[in-house]
mmCIF file of all heavy atoms in Angstrom:
data_model
loop_
_atom_site.group_PDB
_atom_site.id
_atom_site.type_symbol
_atom_site.label_atom_id
_atom_site.label_comp_id
_atom_site.label_asym_id
_atom_site.label_seq_id
_atom_site.Cartn_x
_atom_site.Cartn_y
_atom_site.Cartn_z
ATOM 1 N N ASP A 404 3.907 8.100 -26.195
ATOM 2 C CA ASP A 404 4.587 8.972 -27.078
ATOM 3 C C ASP A 404 4.289 10.417 -26.698
ATOM 4 O O ASP A 404 3.213 10.951 -26.827
ATOM 5 C CB ASP A 404 4.072 8.686 -28.534
ATOM 6 C CG ASP A 404 4.805 9.551 -29.593
ATOM 7 O OD1 ASP A 404 5.629 10.357 -29.204
ATOM 8 O OD2 ASP A 404 4.519 9.414 -30.779
ATOM 9 N N ILE A 405 5.373 11.042 -26.238
ATOM 10 C CA ILE A 405 5.203 12.515 -25.966
ATOM 11 C C ILE A 405 6.330 13.203 -26.765
ATOM 12 O O ILE A 405 6.851 14.255 -26.379
ATOM 13 C CB ILE A 405 5.283 12.894 -24.445
ATOM 14 C CG1 ILE A 405 6.699 12.534 -23.865
ATOM 15 C CG2 ILE A 405 4.206 12.213 -23.671
ATOM 16 C CD1 ILE A 405 7.014 13.336 -22.632
ATOM 17 N N THR A 406 6.770 12.611 -27.851
ATOM 18 C CA THR A 406 7.899 13.141 -28.611
ATOM 19 C C THR A 406 7.485 14.339 -29.420
ATOM 20 O O THR A 406 6.341 14.598 -29.751
ATOM 21 C CB THR A 406 8.412 12.089 -29.622
ATOM 22 O OG1 THR A 406 7.391 11.710 -30.494
ATOM 23 C CG2 THR A 406 8.906 10.809 -28.875
ATOM 24 N N LEU A 407 8.493 15.103 -29.866
ATOM 25 C CA LEU A 407 8.287 16.250 -30.718
ATOM 26 C C LEU A 407 7.663 15.793 -32.069
ATOM 27 O O LEU A 407 6.795 16.344 -32.570
ATOM 28 C CB LEU A 407 9.629 16.908 -31.003
ATOM 29 C CG LEU A 407 10.184 17.796 -29.864
ATOM 30 C CD1 LEU A 407 11.666 18.163 -30.166
ATOM 31 C CD2 LEU A 407 9.415 18.969 -29.562
ATOM 32 N N ALA A 408 8.186 14.586 -32.542
ATOM 33 C CA ALA A 408 7.647 14.076 -33.814
ATOM 34 C C ALA A 408 6.185 13.629 -33.625
ATOM 35 O O ALA A 408 5.319 13.890 -34.490
ATOM 36 C CB ALA A 408 8.496 12.930 -34.255
ATOM 37 N N GLY A 409 5.919 12.901 -32.560
ATOM 38 C CA GLY A 409 4.561 12.378 -32.349
ATOM 39 C C GLY A 409 3.600 13.525 -32.106
ATOM 40 O O GLY A 409 2.383 13.377 -32.623
ATOM 41 N N THR A 410 3.942 14.503 -31.373
ATOM 42 C CA THR A 410 2.973 15.599 -31.088
ATOM 43 C C THR A 410 2.972 16.606 -32.186
ATOM 44 O O THR A 410 2.030 17.384 -32.303
ATOM 45 C CB THR A 410 3.314 16.347 -29.801
ATOM 46 O OG1 THR A 410 4.649 16.873 -29.922
ATOM 47 C CG2 THR A 410 3.249 15.424 -28.531
ATOM 48 N N GLY A 411 4.050 16.657 -32.972
ATOM 49 C CA GLY A 411 4.216 17.663 -33.986
ATOM 50 C C GLY A 411 4.539 19.078 -33.475
ATOM 51 O O GLY A 411 4.528 20.046 -34.183
ATOM 52 N N ALA A 412 4.765 19.140 -32.118
ATOM 53 C CA ALA A 412 4.887 20.455 -31.472
ATOM 54 C C ALA A 412 6.292 21.068 -31.776
ATOM 55 O O ALA A 412 7.271 20.384 -32.058
ATOM 56 C CB ALA A 412 4.710 20.285 -29.981
ATOM 57 N N ASP A 413 6.316 22.411 -31.724
ATOM 58 C CA ASP A 413 7.562 23.130 -31.803
ATOM 59 C C ASP A 413 8.274 23.202 -30.481
ATOM 60 O O ASP A 413 9.478 23.376 -30.414
ATOM 61 C CB ASP A 413 7.253 24.563 -32.307
ATOM 62 C CG ASP A 413 6.676 24.560 -33.689
ATOM 63 O OD1 ASP A 413 7.421 24.194 -34.647
ATOM 64 O OD2 ASP A 413 5.496 24.937 -33.869
ATOM 65 N N SER A 414 7.484 23.004 -29.414
ATOM 66 C CA SER A 414 8.060 22.920 -28.064
ATOM 67 C C SER A 414 7.169 22.150 -27.167
ATOM 68 O O SER A 414 5.927 22.205 -27.303
ATOM 69 C CB SER A 414 8.339 24.356 -27.546
ATOM 70 O OG SER A 414 7.146 25.119 -27.606
ATOM 71 N N VAL A 415 7.800 21.492 -26.251
ATOM 72 C CA VAL A 415 7.058 20.618 -25.277
ATOM 73 C C VAL A 415 7.554 20.909 -23.867
ATOM 74 O O VAL A 415 8.727 21.110 -23.626
ATOM 75 C CB VAL A 415 7.292 19.080 -25.640
ATOM 76 C CG1 VAL A 415 6.966 18.190 -24.517
ATOM 77 C CG2 VAL A 415 6.561 18.760 -26.899
ATOM 78 N N THR A 416 6.609 21.028 -22.900
ATOM 79 C CA THR A 416 6.945 21.301 -21.533
ATOM 80 C C THR A 416 6.827 20.022 -20.642
ATOM 81 O O THR A 416 5.896 19.268 -20.816
ATOM 82 C CB THR A 416 5.970 22.345 -20.966
ATOM 83 O OG1 THR A 416 6.294 23.585 -21.525
ATOM 84 C CG2 THR A 416 6.065 22.485 -19.461
ATOM 85 N N LEU A 417 7.824 19.880 -19.760
ATOM 86 C CA LEU A 417 7.819 18.773 -18.786
ATOM 87 C C LEU A 417 8.013 19.327 -17.375
ATOM 88 O O LEU A 417 8.636 20.368 -17.245
ATOM 89 C CB LEU A 417 8.914 17.788 -19.086
ATOM 90 C CG LEU A 417 9.044 17.111 -20.427
ATOM 91 C CD1 LEU A 417 10.220 16.213 -20.412
ATOM 92 C CD2 LEU A 417 7.761 16.353 -20.700
ATOM 93 N N SER A 418 7.554 18.650 -16.362
ATOM 94 C CA SER A 418 7.781 19.025 -15.012
ATOM 95 C C SER A 418 8.236 17.869 -14.121
ATOM 96 O O SER A 418 7.667 16.768 -14.195
ATOM 97 C CB SER A 418 6.482 19.589 -14.417
ATOM 98 O OG SER A 418 6.551 19.813 -13.008
ATOM 99 N N GLY A 419 9.299 18.100 -13.319
ATOM 100 C CA GLY A 419 9.899 17.028 -12.524
ATOM 101 C C GLY A 419 8.964 16.388 -11.525
ATOM 102 O O GLY A 419 8.855 15.175 -11.396
ATOM 103 N N HIS A 420 8.238 17.253 -10.794
ATOM 104 C CA HIS A 420 7.439 16.707 -9.627
ATOM 105 C C HIS A 420 6.225 15.920 -10.095
ATOM 106 O O HIS A 420 5.529 15.340 -9.248
ATOM 107 C CB HIS A 420 7.127 17.716 -8.637
ATOM 108 C CG HIS A 420 6.078 18.732 -9.022
ATOM 109 N ND1 HIS A 420 4.880 18.840 -8.354
ATOM 110 C CD2 HIS A 420 6.102 19.729 -9.924
ATOM 111 C CE1 HIS A 420 4.195 19.876 -8.865
ATOM 112 N NE2 HIS A 420 4.975 20.438 -9.827
ATOM 113 N N LYS A 421 5.950 15.889 -11.375
ATOM 114 C CA LYS A 421 4.817 15.066 -11.856
ATOM 115 C C LYS A 421 5.321 13.701 -12.306
ATOM 116 O O LYS A 421 4.517 12.817 -12.630
ATOM 117 C CB LYS A 421 4.063 15.735 -13.069
ATOM 118 C CG LYS A 421 3.726 17.235 -12.850
ATOM 119 C CD LYS A 421 2.690 17.409 -11.847
ATOM 120 C CE LYS A 421 2.265 18.906 -11.762
ATOM 121 N NZ LYS A 421 1.226 19.221 -10.833
ATOM 122 N N VAL A 422 6.580 13.518 -12.322
ATOM 123 C CA VAL A 422 7.125 12.207 -12.768
ATOM 124 C C VAL A 422 7.946 11.495 -11.671
ATOM 125 O O VAL A 422 8.675 10.541 -11.940
ATOM 126 C CB VAL A 422 7.987 12.354 -14.069
ATOM 127 C CG1 VAL A 422 7.141 12.770 -15.253
ATOM 128 C CG2 VAL A 422 9.108 13.365 -13.899
ATOM 129 N N GLY A 423 7.880 12.043 -10.456
ATOM 130 C CA GLY A 423 8.591 11.303 -9.375
ATOM 131 C C GLY A 423 9.923 11.915 -9.006
ATOM 132 O O GLY A 423 10.720 11.317 -8.278
ATOM 133 N N ALA A 424 10.157 13.138 -9.516
ATOM 134 C CA ALA A 424 11.373 13.939 -9.088
ATOM 135 C C ALA A 424 10.880 15.013 -8.201
ATOM 136 O O ALA A 424 9.688 15.201 -8.000
ATOM 137 C CB ALA A 424 12.034 14.463 -10.374
ATOM 138 N N PRO A 425 11.824 15.791 -7.607
ATOM 139 C CA PRO A 425 11.381 16.855 -6.803
ATOM 140 C C PRO A 425 10.685 17.992 -7.549
ATOM 141 O O PRO A 425 10.892 18.068 -8.776
ATOM 142 C CB PRO A 425 12.621 17.379 -6.094
ATOM 143 C CG PRO A 425 13.717 16.457 -6.466
ATOM 144 C CD PRO A 425 13.300 15.690 -7.646
ATOM 145 N N ALA A 426 9.937 18.868 -6.836
ATOM 146 C CA ALA A 426 9.408 20.087 -7.506
ATOM 147 C C ALA A 426 10.548 21.051 -7.703
ATOM 148 O O ALA A 426 11.636 20.935 -7.059
ATOM 149 C CB ALA A 426 8.321 20.680 -6.657
ATOM 150 N N GLY A 427 10.365 22.014 -8.617
ATOM 151 C CA GLY A 427 11.378 23.035 -8.841
ATOM 152 C C GLY A 427 12.399 22.727 -9.966
ATOM 153 O O GLY A 427 13.350 23.373 -10.148
ATOM 154 N N ILE A 428 11.964 21.740 -10.742
ATOM 155 C CA ILE A 428 12.783 21.394 -11.945
ATOM 156 C C ILE A 428 11.791 21.061 -13.079
ATOM 157 O O ILE A 428 10.781 20.453 -12.841
ATOM 158 C CB ILE A 428 13.816 20.305 -11.700
ATOM 159 C CG1 ILE A 428 14.663 20.089 -12.918
ATOM 160 C CG2 ILE A 428 13.143 18.991 -11.298
ATOM 161 C CD1 ILE A 428 15.702 21.203 -13.142
ATOM 162 N N GLY A 429 12.134 21.398 -14.277
ATOM 163 C CA GLY A 429 11.324 21.060 -15.398
ATOM 164 C C GLY A 429 12.081 21.354 -16.661
ATOM 165 O O GLY A 429 13.358 21.607 -16.588
ATOM 166 N N ALA A 430 11.471 21.261 -17.826
ATOM 167 C CA ALA A 430 12.237 21.476 -19.051
ATOM 168 C C ALA A 430 11.321 21.949 -20.132
ATOM 169 O O ALA A 430 10.123 21.606 -20.188
ATOM 170 C CB ALA A 430 12.893 20.210 -19.510
ATOM 171 N N LEU A 431 11.851 22.782 -21.012
ATOM 172 C CA LEU A 431 11.215 23.113 -22.297
ATOM 173 C C LEU A 431 12.105 22.439 -23.355
ATOM 174 O O LEU A 431 13.309 22.653 -23.326
ATOM 175 C CB LEU A 431 11.152 24.616 -22.500
ATOM 176 C CG LEU A 431 10.463 25.026 -23.766
ATOM 177 C CD1 LEU A 431 9.010 24.706 -23.753
ATOM 178 C CD2 LEU A 431 10.631 26.542 -24.058
ATOM 179 N N VAL A 432 11.490 21.651 -24.162
ATOM 180 C CA VAL A 432 12.217 20.906 -25.185
ATOM 181 C C VAL A 432 11.824 21.528 -26.542
ATOM 182 O O VAL A 432 10.608 21.628 -26.858
ATOM 183 C CB VAL A 432 11.927 19.414 -25.080
ATOM 184 C CG1 VAL A 432 12.816 18.661 -26.135
ATOM 185 C CG2 VAL A 432 12.204 18.914 -23.770
ATOM 186 N N LEU A 433 12.787 21.908 -27.323
ATOM 187 C CA LEU A 433 12.557 22.661 -28.563
ATOM 188 C C LEU A 433 12.822 21.826 -29.797
ATOM 189 O O LEU A 433 13.828 21.141 -29.886
ATOM 190 C CB LEU A 433 13.489 23.872 -28.640
ATOM 191 C CG LEU A 433 13.558 24.795 -27.443
ATOM 192 C CD1 LEU A 433 14.652 25.796 -27.633
ATOM 193 C CD2 LEU A 433 12.233 25.445 -27.224
ATOM 194 N N ALA A 434 11.932 21.983 -30.749
ATOM 195 C CA ALA A 434 12.224 21.496 -32.085
ATOM 196 C C ALA A 434 13.274 22.482 -32.731
ATOM 197 O O ALA A 434 13.346 23.590 -32.244
ATOM 198 C CB ALA A 434 10.953 21.473 -32.919
ATOM 199 N N ASP A 435 13.982 21.972 -33.762
ATOM 200 C CA ASP A 435 15.035 22.812 -34.349
ATOM 201 C C ASP A 435 14.557 24.156 -34.817
ATOM 202 O O ASP A 435 15.236 25.145 -34.839
ATOM 203 C CB ASP A 435 15.696 22.087 -35.539
ATOM 204 C CG ASP A 435 16.572 20.890 -35.050
ATOM 205 O OD1 ASP A 435 16.982 20.977 -33.919
ATOM 206 O OD2 ASP A 435 16.789 20.018 -35.836
ATOM 207 N N ARG A 436 13.300 24.138 -35.238
ATOM 208 C CA ARG A 436 12.778 25.333 -35.953
ATOM 209 C C ARG A 436 12.326 26.453 -34.984
ATOM 210 O O ARG A 436 11.912 27.528 -35.397
ATOM 211 C CB ARG A 436 11.572 24.957 -36.806
ATOM 212 C CG ARG A 436 10.505 24.153 -36.122
ATOM 213 C CD ARG A 436 9.504 23.515 -37.046
ATOM 214 N NE ARG A 436 8.550 22.724 -36.251
ATOM 215 C CZ ARG A 436 8.692 21.430 -35.967
ATOM 216 N NH1 ARG A 436 9.738 20.812 -36.398
ATOM 217 N NH2 ARG A 436 7.813 20.830 -35.260
ATOM 218 N N PHE A 437 12.437 26.176 -33.617
ATOM 219 C CA PHE A 437 11.958 27.200 -32.680
ATOM 220 C C PHE A 437 12.956 27.696 -31.753
ATOM 221 O O PHE A 437 13.640 26.852 -31.136
ATOM 222 C CB PHE A 437 10.750 26.503 -31.885
ATOM 223 C CG PHE A 437 10.128 27.467 -30.852
ATOM 224 C CD1 PHE A 437 9.873 28.809 -31.211
ATOM 225 C CD2 PHE A 437 9.770 27.022 -29.571
ATOM 226 C CE1 PHE A 437 9.321 29.653 -30.219
ATOM 227 C CE2 PHE A 437 9.168 27.819 -28.711
ATOM 228 C CZ PHE A 437 8.942 29.160 -28.986
ATOM 229 N N ASP A 438 13.176 28.980 -31.650
ATOM 230 C CA ASP A 438 14.185 29.544 -30.786
ATOM 231 C C ASP A 438 13.579 30.667 -29.984
ATOM 232 O O ASP A 438 13.700 31.818 -30.408
ATOM 233 C CB ASP A 438 15.350 30.142 -31.679
ATOM 234 C CG ASP A 438 16.442 29.093 -31.918
ATOM 235 O OD1 ASP A 438 16.839 28.424 -30.952
ATOM 236 O OD2 ASP A 438 16.773 28.902 -33.135
ATOM 237 N N PRO A 439 13.068 30.369 -28.821
ATOM 238 C CA PRO A 439 12.466 31.503 -28.021
ATOM 239 C C PRO A 439 13.568 32.406 -27.450
ATOM 240 O O PRO A 439 14.699 31.975 -27.195
ATOM 241 C CB PRO A 439 11.731 30.688 -26.899
ATOM 242 C CG PRO A 439 12.538 29.408 -26.772
ATOM 243 C CD PRO A 439 12.965 29.078 -28.152
ATOM 244 N N ALA A 440 13.165 33.610 -27.202
ATOM 245 C CA ALA A 440 14.083 34.552 -26.539
ATOM 246 C C ALA A 440 14.079 34.256 -25.088
ATOM 247 O O ALA A 440 13.025 33.908 -24.544
ATOM 248 C CB ALA A 440 13.589 35.999 -26.833
ATOM 249 N N PRO A 441 15.198 34.370 -24.385
ATOM 250 C CA PRO A 441 15.189 34.022 -22.987
ATOM 251 C C PRO A 441 14.341 34.997 -22.151
ATOM 252 O O PRO A 441 14.251 36.132 -22.488
ATOM 253 C CB PRO A 441 16.693 34.134 -22.559
ATOM 254 C CG PRO A 441 17.333 35.004 -23.662
ATOM 255 C CD PRO A 441 16.529 34.786 -24.904
ATOM 256 N N GLU A 442 13.802 34.476 -21.116
ATOM 257 C CA GLU A 442 12.989 35.305 -20.150
ATOM 258 C C GLU A 442 13.944 35.667 -18.989
ATOM 259 O O GLU A 442 13.674 36.709 -18.368
ATOM 260 C CB GLU A 442 11.805 34.502 -19.589
ATOM 261 C CG GLU A 442 10.682 34.324 -20.583
ATOM 262 C CD GLU A 442 9.831 35.569 -20.682
ATOM 263 O OE1 GLU A 442 9.207 35.970 -19.658
ATOM 264 O OE2 GLU A 442 9.878 36.238 -21.774
ATOM 265 N N ILE A 443 14.877 34.818 -18.666
ATOM 266 C CA ILE A 443 15.735 35.053 -17.505
ATOM 267 C C ILE A 443 17.131 35.280 -18.094
ATOM 268 O O ILE A 443 17.739 34.409 -18.793
ATOM 269 C CB ILE A 443 15.753 33.817 -16.573
ATOM 270 C CG1 ILE A 443 14.280 33.635 -15.983
ATOM 271 C CG2 ILE A 443 16.723 34.023 -15.410
ATOM 272 C CD1 ILE A 443 14.134 32.477 -15.087
ATOM 273 N N LEU A 444 17.597 36.522 -17.831
ATOM 274 C CA LEU A 444 18.895 36.843 -18.412
ATOM 275 C C LEU A 444 20.057 36.884 -17.437
ATOM 276 O O LEU A 444 19.797 37.107 -16.258
ATOM 277 C CB LEU A 444 18.780 38.289 -19.051
ATOM 278 C CG LEU A 444 17.638 38.386 -20.103
ATOM 279 C CD1 LEU A 444 17.344 39.855 -20.431
ATOM 280 C CD2 LEU A 444 18.001 37.646 -21.327
ATOM 281 N N GLY A 445 21.196 36.660 -17.924
ATOM 282 C CA GLY A 445 22.401 36.602 -17.018
ATOM 283 C C GLY A 445 23.501 35.818 -17.686
ATOM 284 O O GLY A 445 23.874 36.148 -18.856
ATOM 285 N N GLY A 446 23.903 34.758 -17.011
ATOM 286 C CA GLY A 446 24.999 33.934 -17.507
ATOM 287 C C GLY A 446 24.612 33.153 -18.755
ATOM 288 O O GLY A 446 23.387 33.182 -19.179
ATOM 289 N N GLY A 447 25.543 32.415 -19.264
ATOM 290 C CA GLY A 447 25.258 31.675 -20.556
ATOM 291 C C GLY A 447 24.774 30.279 -20.369
ATOM 292 O O GLY A 447 24.777 29.530 -21.370
ATOM 293 N N GLN A 448 24.323 29.982 -19.142
ATOM 294 C CA GLN A 448 23.842 28.603 -18.979
ATOM 295 C C GLN A 448 22.683 28.233 -19.933
ATOM 296 O O GLN A 448 21.981 29.082 -20.388
ATOM 297 C CB GLN A 448 23.358 28.309 -17.545
ATOM 298 C CG GLN A 448 24.431 28.503 -16.441
ATOM 299 C CD GLN A 448 24.535 29.904 -15.981
ATOM 300 O OE1 GLN A 448 23.969 30.843 -16.445
ATOM 301 N NE2 GLN A 448 25.404 30.082 -14.914
ATOM 302 N N GLU A 449 22.465 26.898 -20.087
ATOM 303 C CA GLU A 449 21.416 26.478 -21.009
ATOM 304 C C GLU A 449 21.529 27.165 -22.319
ATOM 305 O O GLU A 449 20.548 27.555 -22.966
ATOM 306 C CB GLU A 449 20.032 26.606 -20.422
ATOM 307 C CG GLU A 449 19.819 25.809 -19.072
ATOM 308 C CD GLU A 449 20.099 24.332 -19.258
ATOM 309 O OE1 GLU A 449 19.262 23.637 -19.841
ATOM 310 O OE2 GLU A 449 21.146 23.876 -18.741
ATOM 311 N N ARG A 450 22.741 27.264 -22.844
ATOM 312 C CA ARG A 450 23.061 27.865 -24.147
ATOM 313 C C ARG A 450 22.347 29.227 -24.269
ATOM 314 O O ARG A 450 21.919 29.603 -25.442
ATOM 315 C CB ARG A 450 22.637 26.898 -25.237
ATOM 316 C CG ARG A 450 23.498 25.665 -25.271
ATOM 317 C CD ARG A 450 22.891 24.512 -26.025
ATOM 318 N NE ARG A 450 21.507 24.329 -25.746
ATOM 319 C CZ ARG A 450 20.993 23.830 -24.561
ATOM 320 N NH1 ARG A 450 21.797 23.521 -23.582
ATOM 321 N NH2 ARG A 450 19.760 23.696 -24.461
#
Side-chain angles (χ1 to χ4, degrees):
D404 185 356
I405 64 156
T406 59
L407 288 168
T410 59
D413 296 294
S414 53
V415 163
T416 287
L417 304 179
S418 168
H420 70 115
K421 311 292 184 178
V422 293
I428 184 72
L431 182 68
V432 185
L433 307 173
D435 285 340
R436 52 192 178 269
F437 180 42
D438 270 312
E442 285 282 296
I443 299 178
L444 301 169
Q448 294 90 352
E449 300 301 289
R450 295 161 315 291

